Amino acid sequence: MVSFSVEGTVWCCVLMVIITVSFAGDIVHPDNIAPKRPGCDNNFVLVKVPTWINGVENCEYVGVGARFGPTLESKEKHATHTRVAIADPPDCCSKPKNKLTGEIILVHRGQCSFTTKANIAEEAGASAILIINNRTELFKMVCEENETDIDIGIPAVMLPQDAGENIKSHIQNKSIVSVQLYSPLRPLVDVAEVFLWLMAVGTILCASYWSAWTTREAAVEREKLLKDASDEYLNTENAGSTGYVEISTMAAISFVVIASCFLLMLYKLMASWFIEVLVVLFCIGGVEGLQTCLVALLSCFRWFQRAGQTFVKIPFFGAVSYLTLAMTPFCIVFAVLWGVFRHVSFAWIGQDILGIALIITVLQIVRIPNLKVGTVLLSCAFLYDIFWVFVSKWWFHESVMIVVARGDRSGEDGIPMLLKIPRLFDPWGGYSIIGFGDIILPGLLVAFSLRYDWLAKRNLRSGYFVWAMSAYGLGLLITYVALNLMDGHGQPALLYIVPFTLGTFLSLGKKRGELNLLWTRGEPEMPCPHNQESQQ
C-alpha cells in the first residue's frame, strides 16, 4: 500500500488544522466600532428585497438594515408589497419634489448623512427608504457622532449598486416596481447541523477504532514473535519504520505556530489562483486518503485479501499491492471530477467524502504517545483558535480565521479544508461548516484513549474512550448551540471542544489515580525479550 511519508503527513496536517471554526453564514452583524445609543441601536441585519415589475415577480436582492429606524418584519407573509419611487433630487438631501403617499423612496448615497436622508424621506411621506450604495458591496449605515435628530420612524435599507441601478432602470422605463422588505430569522436548528455533528463524531469513531485495531494487531503480532522467536522479534523491531508518526511536545508547540503562519499566509495571499493551489493540494491528499481507506476496507473481505497481500515493485513507490493499483485510478478520477465540478450544487458531497477519508487516514498515521503531549497540543490549539477568531480583529479589523474559511476576496465559496452541508431549511441558504482541525486535533486524544483501553484490556465502563468520545460530542453540540445563539456568526469550535474532551480526560485520570501513568507513559507497552529473559 502506498503510504504518506513523514514529511507529507506533517504538512498535510498543518494545512488541514489551519481552519478550526464553525459557522453558518452571518445574518446579524454586531458592530463595536460604531457604538450604540438610544435611537441608533439596531444590529445590522441582512434584508431580503424581492421585486415585482408590473405585478410580475422579478429578482430578489439582499440589502442590509441600518443602525437606526424601526426593526423590519421577519416573516414574508407580514411584509407588504409597496411601490418604489425615485427621489428627486436623487440624493434626498433636500425635500423631494415628487409627492409621496406611502411609497418606498429610492435614493443615492452621498452629499448628506444617512439619518438626514431618512428624516427627509419620512417627512415627505415615504414608508421606507432604499439607499443605493456607490459600490457593489454593502455598507453599514450608522449615525454621526453629533447627530441629535435620530428618532426615525421608517426603516432604512442599503442596496448594492447593481441592485439599486436595476430597480431604478425599470422605474425610468415607466414600469411599476414594488418590493417587500423583511429580514427572516434563521431557524434554531437546521438539519445540516445535525448531519454535520454525526459526520464529525462518526469520523472520529471510525478513525479511533481503526487506530486501536492496528495497534492491537501489532501488539498481538509482537507477542507471538516474542514467544516463538526472540531473534526474529529483534530483527523485526529494528527494521524500518512503525508506519505512524508520534508527535513530541516540541512538535505539538511548533505545530500550532506553523499553522498560524500558514493561516496568515492564506489571509494575505487570498485570491482565486491561491485557492486553485489549495484545491490541487487537497485533491492530492484526498486521493491518498480515499485510497488508503478503500484498500483497508476491502482488505477485510476474503475476496480481496489476496490482492491486498500480493505486491509488485514500482519505480519511486517501491512495493505496491495489486489492490492499491486497482483503487488508485478510481480515487484519482473521483478527486479530479470533484476539482473540475466543485462549483456545482452537489459538489459538497465529493468534498466531504475526500475530507473524511483524509481525516481518518491522518488520525490513523499521526498519534500522540501520552496525555502530556495531548494536553500541550490541545491547549495550544485552544489559544490558537481564540486568537485567530476573536483577538485577530484588533489588528486586522476582521476575523482572520473566518475570512480565510469563507474565502473572502477570492471569488470562491470557501477553501476546501472543510466539511460542509447546505442549510436545507434556512431562508438565507448557505452552508454549515466545520474545519478539519476541529475533528483532527481532539480526534488524536480520543484515538489515544481507545488505544490505551484496548492495550490495557479495559472494558467500556472502566476505560476512557466512552468518556472522551461523549465529551467530544457534547463539546461539538455546545458549539452549535453557541453558533445559533450568535445567529450564525462564526465560532471557534475548539473553545468549547477542548475543555470538554481534555478536561474530562484529566479529571477522570486524576480520580482513578492514573494521571501520572497516562501523563508520562501513555499506552501500555508489550514486554520485550530482554525483560522476559531477565524474569526467567
Side-chain angles (χ1 to χ4, degrees):
M1 183 187 302
V2 180
S3 61
F4 281 116
S5 64
V6 173
E7 294 83 0
T9 303
V10 171
W11 288 113
C12 183
C13 287
V14 170
L15 274 173
M16 288 196 293
V17 302
I18 56 173
I19 301 300
T20 54
V21 65
S22 297
F23 66 79
D26 302 351
I27 61 170
V28 174
H29 303 260
D31 192 314
N32 297 323
I33 298 175
K36 294 182 178 181
R37 63 179 192 267
C40 194
D41 54 359
N42 295 340
N43 282 327
F44 296 105
V45 296
L46 294 180
V47 180
K48 283 186 179 287
V49 188
T51 62
W52 284 261
I53 311 298
N54 295 324
V56 179
E57 190 170 357
N58 195 257
C59 299
E60 180 178 275
Y61 304 108
V62 175
V64 63
R67 179 74 97 191
F68 50 84
T71 56
L72 288 161
E73 181 59 55
S74 62
K75 295 184 179 180
E76 182 180 7
K77 62 182 180 181
H78 294 157
T80 57
H81 290 245
T82 309
R83 187 171 177 175
V84 181
I86 299 175
D88 183 17
D91 57 21
C92 198
C93 289
S94 58
K95 186 177 180 180
K97 297 175 183 177
N98 46 335
K99 231 178 187 182
L100 300 175
T101 54
E103 291 90 349
I104 294 176
I105 191 168
L106 184 68
V107 309
H108 281 273
R109 180 182 173 185
Q111 305 305 319
C112 60
S113 68
F114 297 121
T115 51
T116 299
K117 295 176 188 290
N119 277 315
I120 292 174
E122 184 180 6
E123 289 173 6
S127 60
I129 181 171
L130 289 176
I131 300 177
I132 306 173
N133 195 15
N134 51 17
R135 296 182 181 179
T136 54
E137 63 265 16
L138 295 171
F139 183 83
K140 295 176 180 178
M141 297 185 290
V142 300
C143 305
E144 300 291 336
E145 285 187 20
N146 300 321
E147 284 182 320
T148 55
D149 191 11
I150 55 176
D151 185 18
I152 298 167
I154 62 172
V157 176
M158 173 162 283
L159 289 175
Q161 187 178 43
D162 52 352
E165 292 296 339
N166 285 341
I167 295 174
K168 182 179 176 181
S169 64
H170 283 296
I171 298 174
Q172 289 174 336
N173 290 334
K174 308 301 181 183
S175 298
I176 299 174
V177 179
S178 60
V179 300
Q180 280 182 301
L181 301 178
Y182 65 103
S183 180
L185 301 175
R186 189 181 297 282
L188 290 176
V189 178
D190 191 89
V191 177
E193 293 169 356
V194 176
F195 280 108
L196 207 57
W197 185 90
L198 291 172
M199 284 168 57
V201 171
T203 298
I204 290 183
L205 197 64
C206 293
S208 299
Y209 270 95
W210 188 13
S211 178
W213 182 81
T214 54
T215 301
R216 186 173 65 176
E217 289 296 303
V220 170
E221 187 66 24
R222 286 199 304 269
E223 187 174 11
K224 189 184 298 183
L225 289 173
L226 186 147
K227 290 179 180 178
D228 296 343
S230 297
D231 292 338
E232 186 180 348
Y233 174 82
L234 286 172
N235 292 334
T236 305
E237 191 180 44
N238 294 328
S241 66
T242 56
Y244 60 86
V245 181
E246 277 194 355
I247 302 176
S248 64
T249 304
M250 186 55 65
I253 297 172
S254 59
F255 194 71
V256 177
V257 173
I258 296 171
S260 296
C261 295
F262 264 101
L263 184 67
L264 195 57
M265 182 179 70
L266 284 177
Y267 176 73
K268 293 296 184 181
L269 298 178
M270 185 60 67
S272 58
W273 69 267
F274 199 69
I275 295 292
E276 297 288 342
V277 173
L278 291 180
V279 167
V280 171
L281 293 176
F282 175 72
C283 286
I284 294 172
V287 167
E288 181 67 36
L290 188 59
Q291 169 203 279
T292 304
C293 290
L294 286 176
V295 169
L297 182 63
L298 293 175
S299 296
C300 297
F301 297 95
R302 185 175 56 187
W303 306 285
F304 298 100
Q305 284 179 355
R306 182 174 178 81
Q309 295 169 358
T310 308
F311 295 84
V312 60
K313 282 193 175 181
I314 297 179
F316 304 109
F317 293 100
V320 179
S321 71
Y322 284 104
L323 185 57
T324 300
L325 284 178
M327 288 295 102
T328 301
F330 167 78
C331 297
I332 292 175
V333 170
F334 187 91
V336 169
L337 286 175
W338 172 82
V340 173
F341 298 103
R342 68 183 185 278
H343 296 297
V344 300
S345 59
F346 53 85
W348 61 272
I349 299 174
Q351 179 172 327
D352 288 350
I353 291 173
L354 292 172
I356 289 172
L358 187 52
I359 292 171
I360 291 176
T361 301
V362 170
L363 287 176
Q364 160 66 12
I365 295 173
V366 181
R367 300 181 180 183
I368 56 173
N370 51 49
L371 190 53
K372 177 184 177 182
V373 174
T375 301
V376 172
L377 179 64
L378 288 179
S379 298
C380 290
F382 176 79
L383 298 174
Y384 161 88
D385 218 13
I386 294 174
F387 179 85
W388 289 112
V389 174
F390 293 140
V391 183
S392 62
K393 292 179 181 179
W394 298 346
W395 280 278
F396 302 95
H397 306 295
E398 57 187 353
S399 173
V400 172
M401 181 84 76
I402 293 175
V403 167
V404 172
R406 289 191 306 216
D408 292 359
R409 303 190 300 271
S410 69
E412 296 272 348
D413 187 18
I415 67 172
M417 285 72 176
L418 305 162
L419 297 185
K420 54 193 271 188
I421 297 180
R423 296 179 63 84
L424 302 176
F425 300 104
D426 192 328
W428 292 104
Y431 292 88
S432 287
I433 72 164
I434 183 170
F436 285 178
D438 299 327
I439 302 174
I440 291 176
L441 293 173
L444 291 170
L445 184 66
V446 176
F448 165 76
S449 69
L450 187 59
R451 291 197 304 272
Y452 180 87
D453 288 353
W454 281 21
L455 291 176
K457 298 181 179 178
R458 299 286 186 89
N459 57 33
L460 292 178
R461 188 174 181 179
S462 61
Y464 292 89
F465 172 70
V466 171
W467 293 93
M469 192 73 247
S470 301
Y472 174 79
L474 185 58
L476 186 58
L477 180 63
I478 297 299
T479 301
Y480 286 119
V481 171
L483 188 67
N484 284 299
L485 290 176
M486 297 294 179
D487 240 326
H489 187 66
Q491 292 295 301
L494 294 181
L495 171 65
Y496 309 97
I497 294 172
V498 169
F500 274 92
T501 52
L502 189 58
T504 298
F505 213 131
L506 291 172
S507 302
L508 196 60
K510 185 174 182 180
K511 182 179 179 181
R512 293 175 174 175
E514 299 171 345
L515 186 57
N516 290 334
L517 186 66
L518 291 165
W519 188 263
T520 54
R521 181 180 172 186
E523 298 172 14
E525 296 178 358
M526 296 297 297
C528 67
H530 303 292
N531 291 340
Q532 273 206 343
E533 290 171 3
S534 62
Q535 289 173 4
Q536 290 173 357

